[in-house]
Amino acid sequence: MGHYCRICKSIRLNEAFSGKGHKIHVCKECKQIPKEKREAIEQEDEIFGFMKQSHISGRNVERLKKLASSGNPRIKELAEVVLEVARIKPYKKRRLKVLARERRDLLQKLKETGLIYAHHY
C-alpha cells in the first residue's frame, strides 16, 4: 500500500517518501521542485477546495485575502475570483444560478479560470 503525494497527486510506494515526506505527504521527486512552485500548487489546490465547500466561511475569506495579495499572478487571480464569489453567494446551494442571473461576468471568470469545475465536486 502506497502513500498519496499532494503535489503530483499520485499514489507512490513507501520508498518514494523520505522521513519528513511521509508527514507532509510529498514524495522525494516533488520535494526537489523549487519551494515557490510547490507552494503555488498547494495554494491553487486550496483555492479550488474553497469552491468545493458548501460554505465559504469567514476564516476562508481571510485566507483568500492573504492569497489575493500573493506575488504569483495565477494565485492572485484565482483568489480574487473566489473572494468575489464568497461576497456574493458564500453558500454553494444555487450559487451558479444566482451568479448566472446577477453576475454573468463573474460566472465567465469562473469558466475561464476553471474554478467552475471545482464547484461540481
Side-chain angles (χ1 to χ4, degrees), residues 73-121:
R74 170 85 173 148
I75 299 300
K76 183 176 182 173
E77 178 189 14
L78 290 174
E80 287 172 350
V81 171
V82 176
L83 194 57
E84 187 66 24
V85 168
R87 287 184 184 135
I88 294 168
K89 185 82 169 98
Y91 291 96
K92 190 173 182 180
K93 192 172 185 177
R94 296 192 194 110
R95 181 184 288 158
L96 295 180
K97 214 180 253 190
V98 170
L99 292 176
R101 191 175 39 226
E102 297 175 10
R103 294 287 308 270
R104 285 208 174 258
D105 60 320
L106 189 56
L107 188 63
Q108 186 61 35
K109 283 184 183 178
L110 286 174
K111 287 179 184 175
E112 290 169 1
T113 57
L115 285 165
I116 198 162
Y117 300 114
H119 186 272
H120 295 294
Y121 289 101

Side-chain angles (χ1 to χ4, degrees), residues 14-28 31:
N14 194 30
E15 292 81 24
F17 291 84
S18 67
K20 289 183 180 179
H22 276 291
K23 186 176 182 180
I24 61 173
H25 303 284
V26 178
C27 66
K28 289 178 184 176
K31 199 114 163 93

